[in-house]
Amino acid sequence: MAFKRLLRPFVSLPQNDLWERQRVFNLILLDVFEHHLQEWKDHQERVERLFEQRIGDLDHRTRHLENFLRQGLDEVMRHDDALFGRVDRKLDRYRREADELAGLLKAALARGPEVEKRLQEADADVSYIDFEHRFRGAAEDIRDRIRVYLPRLRQAAPVLDLGCGRGEALALLEAEGVECRGVDPSSAMVRHCREQGLGVDQNDALSALTRTEAASLGGVVSFHVIEHLAPEEIERLVRLAFAALRPGGILVLETPNPLSVAVTARSFWLDPTHKRPVHPEALSACYEQAGFTGIERLDLRPYPEEERLPEIPLDGLEGQSRELADRLNRLRDELDDFLFGYRDYALIGLRPER
């Protein structure tokens, strides 16, 4: 015990120093731990704030997307409603046409000997309406083609449309405030026009002009009708139109252009009711003999460039090569006009003023 007591000072002093160092180390370690713990808490708070911000942004975007989808669906539903409305109107029209055909069939059966004639007329009407829809073009396209005549027809009321068909010209003229009426030999076409609120009578062009009071019209128009007539009928139509027009009145006849080989060889004979092409010079002579003046020809509906003969580019060519290419291009222009000239033309004439 005495020996231990003698050695205690020598042991306790170094041991106390070690315990002090350990305590200081522990304090430093604790301080570092607390510092890192605080940093971790700060980082955790920043992460939580960022998460909440992202959650809020995601919620805002979700609400925006929901509103967008809701508006889009509403728009789609309105579009579908309009589309279904148009389908319903077309179905109603087809039902009326079917009812009309059924009535014609019953009436024809009741008349005995006239059955075959009535059936043939009804079949011809339906067939030609289908032909018009397939090959004549959409009504909107036809109205766009006819707009070229508006500057000449705005002051020509009243206007008579011979062979008005589906009524594209009448609808366009009425929209411009021009008084007009039409005639067509097809009962189906007449019914179609009357359903649009257009003033149309069932009659052929020559009979309608014969019954028209002299000098009572400001304009007579006919689009793609005279190619269905014989030459003597065309001459008579022009003379009757001259009598029906007042001084200063205008006559407009539009027909396929026979000067284009592509028209006469490709599209003209597609319609089995066409009789023969009408040459513009022959029609112009008919106008002159009837007494019209100021005769003018309008070339209409050129073929698209991609359907016509290609042209040799002159860029990069010099000397004889350029001269030869230029000569070939001039020859190409003549041949291209001969093959792919304008698809239609219109002849316009005026009855002279007194």
Side-chain angles (χ1 to χ4, degrees), residues 103-119 121:
L104 291 174
L105 178 60
K106 293 176 182 178
L109 291 173
R111 294 179 182 180
E114 300 181 4
V115 171
E116 183 177 357
K117 180 181 177 181
R118 295 290 294 173
L119 288 177
E121 291 176 355

Side-chain angles (χ1 to χ4, degrees), residues 53-67:
Q53 182 180 359
R54 293 292 176 86
I55 289 294
D57 184 57
L58 180 61
D59 182 64
H60 173 72
R61 293 187 179 185
T62 303
R63 288 196 299 272
H64 177 72
L65 182 59
E66 288 176 351
N67 293 332

Side-chain angles (χ1 to χ4, degrees), residues 205-207 209-210 220 235-245 290:
L206 295 176
S207 299
L209 287 174
T210 302
V220 174
E235 182 179 358
R236 185 178 173 214
L237 183 149
V238 173
R239 294 181 182 275
L240 289 173
F242 184 89
L245 290 169

